[in-house]
Amino acid sequence: MIALYSIENDYNQPPNNLVALFKSKPSLEKLGSYFGGFPSSDDSRTLDIVKLWSMDHEVRIGNTDYRLEEVDFAD
């Protein structure tokens, strides 16, 4: 499963605020739907979504950091 996490720019935020959970890696369009659509009319937002989708980068959108990562669940 793939989890989309957020961390708001606040000193007391836990590192794993679950935004969405996907059975498999979401398409760019599906991931972009959480940020106003893909591609965005803002080129930097489109680039941020692509970076996030690559699962190699944490990105800041607005005042919030987001990351996409694979998660395992124990039986």
Side-chain angles (χ1 to χ4, degrees):
M1 299 195 86
I2 306 292
L4 175 62
Y5 293 110
S6 70
I7 303 172
E8 291 187 30
N9 190 16
D10 196 356
Y11 71 93
N12 62 352
Q13 291 294 306
N16 294 317
N17 291 322
L18 183 63
V19 174
L21 192 59
F22 307 96
K23 289 183 180 180
S24 59
K25 188 174 181 181
S27 67
L28 283 166
E29 291 77 14
K30 178 73 173 176
L31 184 59
S33 70
Y34 290 87
F35 306 102
F38 182 87
S40 173
S41 59
D42 178 353
D43 289 342
S44 65
R45 172 74 47 92
T46 297
L47 182 58
D48 285 340
I49 294 168
V50 170
K51 286 179 181 178
L52 182 60
W53 182 83
S54 74
M55 298 177 66
D56 291 331
H57 302 276
E58 185 171 284
V59 299
R60 178 166 292 239
I61 297 176
N63 209 24
T64 304
D65 294 326
Y66 292 92
R67 74 180 187 282
L68 197 62
E69 67 180 55
E70 189 169 358
V71 292
D72 293 319
F73 291 96
D75 293 330

